[in-house]
Amino acid sequence: MRQLDSIPSADGFHMPGEFELHRRTYMIWPQRPDIWRLGAKPVQEVYRKVAEAIAEFEPVTMLVNEEQYQHARRVLNSKVNVVEMSSNDAWARDVGATFVRNKTANEIRGIDWRFNAWGGLIDGLYFPWHLDDQVATKMCDLEHVDCYSLNHFILEGGSIHTDGEGTLIATESCLLSKGRNSTLTKKQIEQTLQGYLGVDKVIWLKNGIYQDETNGHVDNMCAFVRPGELMLAWTDDPQNPQYVYSQAAYRHLAGVRDARGRRLIVHKMPMPEAMYMTAGESSEIDQTPFAKRRPDGMRLCGSYINSYICNGAVIIPKFNVPQDQQACEIYRQLFPDRIIIPIYTREILLGGGNIHCITQQVPQ
């Protein structure tokens, strides 16, 4: 693997859409007890189900810390490739490489952004994060692809979403937060995204999901279904604090065009009813000075937008609430050529995330 000093867009590379073909999916096995309850055993079972569901449609590699390697190898079925790799937690989308593609040359390369646990010492969620910050380069080694490395630009994979045709969507609440690239202007951040992801237009939403611990990752709020078409987290309840965010996002999206001049088609995806950490769940998570406390009554940022589009299927979260059925039906309408696979993911929510942010795809 070579470390490259050039800019991906100048080399003819761009970030594909998630809905395009993948050659592999990466995940990272959860284990830390100050993020996950009961020593992470319940959430490991959810990760197993997600990994094995994806593995029916494309190769899956699970990255596992040394102390969990033997256990993970025995728990996961033989379709999941298990590789020992050090990490601080289990968010493959956010810490892993962003893969870009040059269609003409039929070549894939990776981008190694900096990672500081969603805000570093200002409002980050755990410490330290140095092992997570090394995952992207190691992932490029496993894929045998060259790597662009940014020494001073912080970005998580869940904070960006692209249509693969020159348009990227992100939130100001996340990318302009003080804990990330506070010395850069919005224009400078946008220029970096354009240069490294090969996009021509960045569509900015003000906010993501209400009280999202990532400062409002776009992957919980809005995602492309295909070029020119996306889905948006939605509520019709004016009493829901998310109502103002979703209304503003819809108005903005309805008034902009994408990089190719298209008006966007916006599908409203209902949000699940409000969910909260229970006292029992909170008491089962270790309290340490190295991770943000997860108290009784904490609002969980559930969203059906945070799904994973893999080859031939869409893995979507369900929460055993009335909105699950409607969300499944909307996904079937949006992806008629793919199998819709709902998986109960409350255990991932308890750690602050959902399906999309535990997976990272390598494009075909």
Side-chain angles (χ1 to χ4, degrees):
M1 180 198 74
R2 295 181 300 163
Q3 289 283 349
L4 304 170
D5 296 324
S6 55
I7 305 296
S9 61
D11 295 338
F13 285 80
H14 76 282
M15 181 182 176
E18 183 178 310
F19 44 78
E20 299 183 51
L21 284 177
H22 308 168
R23 72 185 191 192
R24 179 171 300 277
T25 288
Y26 279 91
M27 298 176 64
I28 302 175
W29 191 246
Q31 70 171 73
R32 57 184 298 165
D34 56 357
I35 297 289
W36 309 103
R37 71 186 189 98
L38 298 175
K41 294 309 176 193
V43 79
Q44 286 176 1
E45 175 61 12
V46 181
Y47 270 57
R48 181 192 66 78
K49 290 179 179 179
V50 172
E52 293 179 358
I54 298 170
E56 293 297 319
F57 301 91
E58 63 186 79
V60 176
T61 293
M62 185 72 73
L63 306 176
V64 185
N65 276 299
E66 176 187 8
E67 55 267 37
Q68 280 285 310
Y69 176 81
Q70 294 296 339
H71 171 64
R73 178 62 283 164
R74 284 162 174 76
V75 169
L76 293 160
N77 70 26
S78 60
K79 290 186 177 181
V80 179
N81 184 38
V82 180
V83 174
E84 184 180 313
M85 184 184 292
S86 300
S87 64
N88 297 108
D89 201 13
W91 307 108
R93 173 76 54 169
D94 288 348
V95 308
T98 298
F99 291 97
V100 290
R101 179 178 62 197
N102 184 316
K103 285 186 177 180
T104 303
N106 192 27
E107 183 182 355
I108 302 295
R109 293 178 179 175
I111 303 174
D112 176 18
W113 317 95
R114 301 279 59 77
F115 177 77
N116 70 349
W118 309 277
L121 298 180
I122 294 178
D123 58 354
L125 300 183
Y126 55 75
F127 180 88
W129 52 78
H130 65 291
L131 297 176
D132 282 342
D133 199 28
Q134 298 171 19
V135 168
T137 300
K138 295 177 180 179
M139 198 180 284
C140 289
D141 278 333
L142 286 178
E143 287 298 313
H144 304 287
V145 299
D146 294 334
C147 182
Y148 301 95
S149 185
L150 291 81
N151 292 327
H152 304 292
F153 192 85
I154 296 165
L155 188 85
E156 306 95 39
S159 68
I160 53 175
H161 215 279
T162 179
D163 69 348
E165 293 188 356
T167 305
L168 181 133
I169 191 164
T171 62
E172 294 181 2
S173 61
C174 177
L175 294 193
L176 305 186
S177 68
K178 292 182 179 179
R180 289 175 174 84
N181 301 296
S182 59
T183 62
L184 300 179
T185 65
K186 179 180 177 180
K187 183 176 181 179
Q188 289 172 321
I189 291 173
E190 185 169 312
Q191 288 172 339
T192 300
L193 296 175
Q194 290 173 328
Y196 278 83
L197 299 173
V199 298
D200 302 308
K201 183 166 187 174
V202 178
I203 297 175
W204 292 95
L205 303 181
K206 286 289 184 183
N207 298 287
I209 296 296
Y210 175 72
Q211 289 190 348
D212 185 336
E213 294 178 299
T214 65
N215 301 112
H217 269 188
V218 76
D219 69 352
N220 234 11
M221 178 70 166
C222 188
F224 284 102
V225 174
R226 57 189 60 87
E229 196 169 343
L230 43 76
M231 51 187 173
L232 174 70
W234 188 257
T235 175
D236 289 314
D237 180 7
Q239 303 304 312
N240 188 327
Q242 180 62 32
Y243 180 82
V244 175
Y245 292 173
S246 294
Q247 288 278 332
Y250 186 81
R251 288 194 299 269
H252 182 61
L253 292 169
V256 299
R257 293 179 183 268
D258 66 13
R260 298 202 176 185
R262 293 172 293 216
R263 289 196 179 277
L264 296 169
I265 299 171
V266 182
H267 301 278
K268 297 175 180 177
M269 179 67 71
M271 294 189 63
E273 63 186 39
M275 296 173 284
Y276 301 89
M277 178 88 68
T278 69
E281 290 165 339
S282 176
S283 69
E284 292 164 345
I285 301 172
D286 289 1
Q287 296 188 34
T288 74
F290 307 111
K292 179 181 177 180
R293 187 169 176 268
R294 319 198 73 73
D296 171 25
M298 184 182 79
R299 186 178 177 118
L300 305 176
C301 292
S303 170
Y304 298 110
I305 300 295
N306 207 317
S307 61
Y308 186 58
I309 307 169
C310 62
N311 298 342
V314 186
I315 316 301
I316 70 170
K318 71 173 183 177
F319 309 105
N320 291 351
V321 296
Q323 295 80 15
D324 286 354
Q325 184 174 354
Q326 185 181 0
C328 282
E329 182 54 36
I330 292 174
Y331 268 101
R332 291 188 184 101
Q333 294 172 9
L334 293 179
F335 297 93
D337 57 341
R338 300 181 196 242
I339 299 171
I340 306 304
I341 304 175
I343 294 179
Y344 182 61
T345 55
R346 181 179 174 89
E347 291 296 339
I348 305 178
L349 271 186
L350 296 176
N354 218 314
I355 290 174
H356 187 264
C357 49
I358 69 171
T359 53
Q360 177 63 311
Q361 86 272 15
V362 183
Q364 187 74 281

